[in-house]
């Protein structure tokens, strides 16, 4: 039986890489969400400034600002949707790699269990043989004394 420890080590490494990639996608999504929140805050801040100002040019500037901010928000939402799709793919890759690793670990554990049982049977057989041989020698020695 081949030892699977090398394969298990490789699968763990691959699983760790996939987990790191997934964590990277989550960080990227969090950054986009933070950008979106900052954009929403800047829109609200500009709105307060425009409402406080009595200048009509400020209202026009605010309209242009909101249009560009909404366009940027739309791009952020599209990017976030793409990243969330990548997160789904990466999550499935992590699940698959984990299941694969567990199969190898379980196979290795079963092999080790069978080997331990085989050794125990072998040791028991050897001890039984030693016991029988000792019994035969004592029995033979007892017969020799009686004669």
């Amino acid at each position: 039986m081949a030892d699977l420890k090398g394969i298990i080590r490789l699968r763990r490494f691959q699983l760790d890489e996939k987990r790191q990639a997934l964590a990277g996608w989550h960080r990227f999504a969090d950054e986009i969400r933070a950008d979106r929140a900052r954009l929403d805050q800047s829109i609200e801040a500009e709105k307060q400034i425009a409402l406080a100002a009595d200048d009509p040019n400020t209202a026009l500037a605010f309209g242009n600002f909101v249009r560009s901010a909404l366009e940027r928000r739309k791009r952020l939402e599209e990017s976030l949707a793409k990243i969330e799709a990548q997160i789904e793919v990466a999550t499935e890759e992590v699940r698959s790699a984990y299941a694969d690793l567990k199969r190898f670990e379980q196979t290795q554990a079963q092999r080790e269990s069978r080997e331990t049982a085989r050794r125990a049977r072998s040791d028991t057989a050897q001890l039984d043989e030693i016991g029988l041989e000792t019994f035969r020698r004592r029995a033979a020695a007892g017969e020799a004394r009686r004669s």
Side-chain angles (χ1 to χ4, degrees):
M1 275 186 254
D3 189 11
L4 298 175
K5 290 181 182 173
I7 293 172
I8 290 170
R9 192 170 39 253
L10 173 65
R11 298 297 179 170
R12 277 191 184 130
F13 177 75
Q14 291 171 337
L15 176 60
D16 287 343
E17 284 183 328
K18 291 179 187 305
R19 284 178 175 162
Q20 289 173 359
L22 178 59
W25 285 114
H26 278 290
R27 280 191 301 275
F28 195 34
D30 289 343
E31 289 173 13
I32 290 180
R33 287 183 191 106
D35 285 348
R36 185 179 58 191
R38 282 191 296 273
L39 183 62
D40 290 343
Q41 288 173 351
S42 72
I43 290 173
E44 188 59 36
E46 290 295 322
K47 179 180 172 184
Q48 295 303 322
I49 292 171
L51 289 175
D54 290 334
D55 186 12
N57 290 330
T58 304
L60 289 173
F62 176 70
N64 290 334
F65 172 78
V66 168
R67 271 191 293 283
S68 66
L70 291 177
E71 183 60 34
R72 174 152 167 69
R73 191 175 207 292
K74 180 181 172 188
R75 286 193 309 270
L76 287 172
E77 293 294 335
E78 290 169 355
S79 295
L80 187 59
K82 289 177 185 176
I83 289 169
E84 286 174 346
Q86 286 295 325
I87 288 173
E88 295 276 333
V89 170
T91 300
E92 186 54 39
E93 288 176 357
V94 167
R95 278 191 198 113
S96 176
Y98 182 77
D100 195 32
L101 171 64
K102 284 299 161 192
R103 276 193 299 275
F104 281 106
E105 287 177 341
Q106 288 174 345
T107 301
Q108 181 66 23
Q110 289 171 351
R111 286 180 180 182
E112 288 171 357
S113 176
R114 281 193 302 262
E115 182 62 22
T116 300
R118 185 195 63 76
R119 283 187 186 144
R121 283 191 308 273
S122 175
D123 290 347
T124 301
Q126 286 177 353
L127 291 173
D128 288 348
E129 185 62 33
I130 291 169
L132 283 172
E133 186 61 31
T134 302
F135 177 76
R136 284 184 203 134
R137 286 183 186 172
R138 286 183 183 164
E143 286 291 320
R145 276 190 248 150
R146 286 187 206 156
S147 309

